[in-house]
Amino acid sequence: NRRAMEISSDEWVLYVRHGVSLHYMRLDFTEIRQTSLRTEVKFFLKNRFSGAIRTTDRVYTLVAYAAGILCRNNPRIHFFSEVDDTDVRMLRQTMESEDRQPQAYIMAVFSACKAVFRYLCGGERDDSLRTPKPGSNPFQGITFVNASQYSRNTPYMPANVAEGLTAHANELSDTDALVLRIFNETGMRAKEVAFLEEGGLEKTRSGSHALLRFVPYKILKARRKAGV
């Protein structure tokens, strides 16, 4: 494996003994279009795989995915040292809004990027790596609340249950029927609907839609705890 991990090569094939056979992992670095980032990732992985290797290690896939988004959002990025807090926020926003990745995957991507920066900033960095050294780790300050709860996605309400509720909406009071409609059309939580205030609707510029302004219940709860 050490012979396979050549910095000049854009494809590595690493093997792991599995009983009487071999399992392998193929890394295609051409997925990272920016060659300078590609080189830094190679040095990071060479250090990471200097000991035990797991063919199920996903860190390269996660970092390559993040590098693609970072360079797409900011074409001026040539080295990881040029990634700042704004780029990190845009990366998270893109994964959440455009790619609609689950929170568990987003956390895994950020964890992999943290590891890359720790290597580039730390003492294990190879002296032959001539790229600029990052002054800080912009991923270090990112935290995810209730991270343990994202190990399994919350199941959706079955369609037949939602259809059954809607079919009996005419049996509800005007207020409850309105709450159900807001549930269906916005996906808000029950507490958020309960705390909606009059005057929260605003017309958009086009006039064909309306904006519903509200404060998420978790923020209200945090404000109360803080005495705000």
Side-chain angles (χ1 to χ4, degrees):
N1 285 326
R2 285 195 298 271
R3 294 179 180 177
M5 290 187 286
E6 290 288 342
I7 301 300
S8 59
S9 175
D10 283 335
E11 184 179 74
W12 294 357
V13 181
L14 309 179
Y15 293 91
V16 177
R17 183 182 297 170
H18 183 74
V20 296
S21 62
L22 291 174
H23 284 184
Y24 73 92
M25 173 171 54
R26 186 185 303 275
L27 304 177
D28 181 7
F29 291 101
T30 59
E31 296 174 357
I32 303 177
R33 295 186 178 182
Q34 178 50 254
T35 55
S36 301
L37 294 180
R38 188 187 306 173
T39 300
E40 291 179 319
V41 172
K42 288 179 184 178
F43 272 94
F44 161 70
L45 292 177
K46 187 174 182 178
N47 175 268
R48 182 180 180 89
F49 296 145
S50 61
I53 296 177
R54 292 183 296 109
T55 55
T56 56
D57 194 317
R58 296 193 307 157
V59 69
Y60 168 68
T61 303
L62 299 172
V63 171
Y65 170 72
I69 296 178
L70 288 169
C71 292
R72 188 170 72 243
N73 289 342
N74 185 0
R76 292 175 293 179
I77 292 177
H78 297 285
F79 305 98
F80 278 106
S81 60
E82 296 174 336
V83 177
D84 58 20
D85 295 339
T86 301
D87 296 314
V88 173
R89 288 195 295 270
M90 290 177 63
L91 170 64
R92 184 171 182 175
Q93 181 179 352
T94 300
M95 286 192 289
E96 290 178 342
S97 59
E98 296 182 17
D99 292 0
R100 298 188 180 278
Q101 297 288 359
Q103 283 294 314
Y105 186 79
I106 296 175
M107 288 188 289
V109 169
F110 273 62
S111 177
C113 291
K114 284 181 185 179
V116 173
F117 271 88
R118 280 197 299 268
Y119 167 77
L120 295 175
C121 297
E124 295 183 1
R125 178 188 171 108
D126 196 307
D127 293 334
S128 60
L129 178 57
R130 301 301 182 184
T131 59
K133 187 176 182 178
S136 61
N137 188 343
F139 289 89
Q140 194 61 46
I142 304 297
T143 57
F144 292 87
V145 181
N146 300 327
S148 60
Q149 297 183 10
Y150 291 118
S151 58
R152 184 177 60 187
N153 291 337
T154 303
Y156 290 100
M157 177 188 293
N160 59 342
V161 175
E163 292 171 358
L165 289 172
T166 305
H168 292 276
N170 58 347
E171 301 175 15
L172 300 174
S173 65
D174 292 342
T175 300
D176 291 339
L178 180 58
V179 168
L180 179 60
R181 183 181 176 187
I182 295 174
F183 280 158
N184 289 339
E185 297 188 10
T186 68
M188 293 171 63
R189 296 182 175 90
K191 287 285 186 181
E192 292 167 349
V193 177
F195 283 108
L196 283 176
E197 298 179 356
E198 188 175 357
L201 283 176
E202 296 180 9
K203 285 290 185 180
T204 59
R205 292 180 180 178
S206 64
S208 59
H209 296 81
L211 287 175
L212 175 60
R213 298 192 179 277
F214 70 100
V215 180
Y217 176 69
K218 286 186 176 181
I219 294 180
L220 291 173
K221 187 177 180 181
R223 288 177 179 175
R224 285 201 299 272
K225 284 186 176 180
V228 179

